[in-house]
Amino acid sequence: MRYKILHNISRLYSSSASNGERLRVWDIFASVALVRPPITAPPMNDIEKRYHDFILQRELEDSLLCDFELRQLRDKRLLEERERLKMVGEEASMQEEIGILASVDEEKWCKQANRICEELAIGDLTKFSKADSRSLQRKIDEFLVLIVRQKFGRKDGYHSPWHLPQLRNLSGESLKQTSERCLKELFTTEVHGKGLSSAPFSVYFYCYPAQLRQRLKTQSRGAAVFFFKALYMNRDPLMVNKDEIADYKWVCAEEFAAIMKRKMSYLRAVSTLFPSYILAKNSFENTKETGSQKTQSETEVRVQSC
């Protein structure tokens, strides 16, 4: 499938009859979806909880009793024996002493465990998560993806809408090389994109408006953006090249879908970054745009790489 896409793109190149120069029908871009994996395990969903409880119950039924459980059974037997002897007036004839009940020790241990959990904030992710959208420590139990506002070399204060980092493919350069150059040129931090795919996982096309083609002095019909995926495994804060990046932030699936809701074709192109059921919650498949909204959305998408 990927080779077929690349083959179709290569056929879009044509030769000029007047000057013999090779003109591109589409401008080729490589975009990198830089993903920060979860730092802690996310909360279990309903199916996972039911399966977890089932496995625990099965292990309990198949396992042998530990010393503490034997103590509990012994205490239960002695308490029942004492009640029986008490009813017949022979309580003094008990041969075994009950001593400290296992339930007393269990209650004491539970109080200690609750105190430790409260002091160390065990299970409370809000104690460790940060609200700063640029921080790697936000939403530590979810996948985050980096989105940026790029300047594309312009000095007039322009910046693009939010999108994944991308760079234009140079002549003689492979898409993989362009994606690697994207990580090197847009960020001053040495970004080791672990797991950077050798082939794009998706492609997105959009056409240039006539005014944009005139301003860029290009005969290209539009742009083809090929998406690569990489994992950001560093724990150091990400430093961007301020000459190229106007702003950046790390967003989760819900935030990504909310930001891209007016660019549905772009969102569909990168939908495999996140589970489909998460994007569905953000009206990924059910959003219905009016005619004016669609026109505004298409215009915004078309100019994002200018």
Side-chain angles (χ1 to χ4, degrees), residues 144-160:
L144 298 183
V145 65
L146 181 72
I147 57 175
V148 298
R149 293 182 186 268
Q150 285 185 241
K151 299 180 181 179
F152 291 105
R154 293 175 57 169
K155 306 296 183 181
D156 56 357
Y158 167 83
H159 61 74
S160 68

Side-chain angles (χ1 to χ4, degrees), residues 30-33 145-148 150 152 160-166 201-206 224-227 256-257 259-273 279 284 297-298 300-302 304-305:
S31 179
V32 180
V145 65
L146 181 72
I147 57 175
V148 298
Q150 285 185 241
F152 291 105
S160 68
W162 290 109
H163 60 69
L164 301 176
Q166 65 182 48
F201 67 86
S202 183
V203 62
Y204 167 64
F205 296 90
Y206 62 94
V225 184
F226 291 84
F227 296 100
F256 184 83
I259 292 173
M260 302 297 176
K261 65 182 180 180
R262 292 185 177 274
K263 299 183 285 188
M264 296 303 295
S265 56
Y266 188 92
L267 184 57
R268 291 190 183 96
V270 297
S271 60
T272 54
L273 276 177
L279 292 178
F284 169 61
S297 174
E298 293 171 357
E300 183 181 10
V301 171
R302 287 170 181 169
Q304 72 170 354
S305 297

Side-chain angles (χ1 to χ4, degrees), residues 109-249:
W109 295 336
C110 288
K111 289 181 179 179
Q112 292 177 349
N114 293 334
R115 178 179 55 81
I116 293 174
C117 289
E118 185 177 351
E119 291 178 356
L120 301 181
I122 298 176
D124 186 6
L125 298 181
T126 59
K127 297 290 185 179
F128 305 95
S129 297
K130 296 182 179 179
D132 184 9
S133 61
R134 294 186 176 186
S135 174
L136 289 168
Q137 300 302 318
R138 69 184 305 263
K139 296 184 180 294
I140 59 178
D141 61 334
E142 298 184 41
F143 281 93
L144 298 183
V145 65
L146 181 72
I147 57 175
V148 298
R149 293 182 186 268
Q150 285 185 241
K151 299 180 181 179
F152 291 105
R154 293 175 57 169
K155 306 296 183 181
D156 56 357
Y158 167 83
H159 61 74
S160 68
W162 290 109
H163 60 69
L164 301 176
Q166 65 182 48
L167 279 184
R168 185 171 179 174
N169 175 256
L170 300 179
S171 178
E173 186 179 50
S174 68
L175 288 173
K176 175 67 177 296
Q177 291 172 334
T178 306
S179 63
E180 293 173 345
R181 182 167 58 86
C182 180
L183 296 178
K184 293 179 181 179
E185 293 187 4
L186 299 185
F187 308 104
T188 56
T189 305
E190 187 174 0
V191 179
H192 298 287
K194 185 176 181 180
L196 182 63
S197 53
S198 299
F201 67 86
S202 183
V203 62
Y204 167 64
F205 296 90
Y206 62 94
C207 295
Y208 294 149
Q211 294 181 352
L212 179 59
R213 285 201 300 268
Q214 184 178 3
R215 185 174 64 81
L216 296 177
K217 298 180 181 180
T218 179
Q219 297 184 24
S220 299
R221 292 176 54 188
V225 184
F226 291 84
F227 296 100
F228 292 79
K229 183 178 179 180
L231 299 178
Y232 186 75
M233 306 302 294
N234 299 350
R235 289 294 173 257
D236 299 327
L238 185 68
M239 304 299 294
V240 300
N241 182 356
K242 295 183 179 180
D243 294 333
E244 296 292 338
I245 303 296
D247 196 6
Y248 72 96
K249 59 183 176 180

Side-chain angles (χ1 to χ4, degrees), residues 6 8 22 121 200 207 255 282 286 296:
L6 294 176
N8 291 336
R22 194 181 187 187
C207 295
E255 294 167 339
N282 294 274
N286 300 325
Q296 181 180 358

Side-chain angles (χ1 to χ4, degrees), residues 1 5 34 139 287:
M1 181 63 182
I5 293 176
L34 195 59
K139 296 184 180 294
T287 299

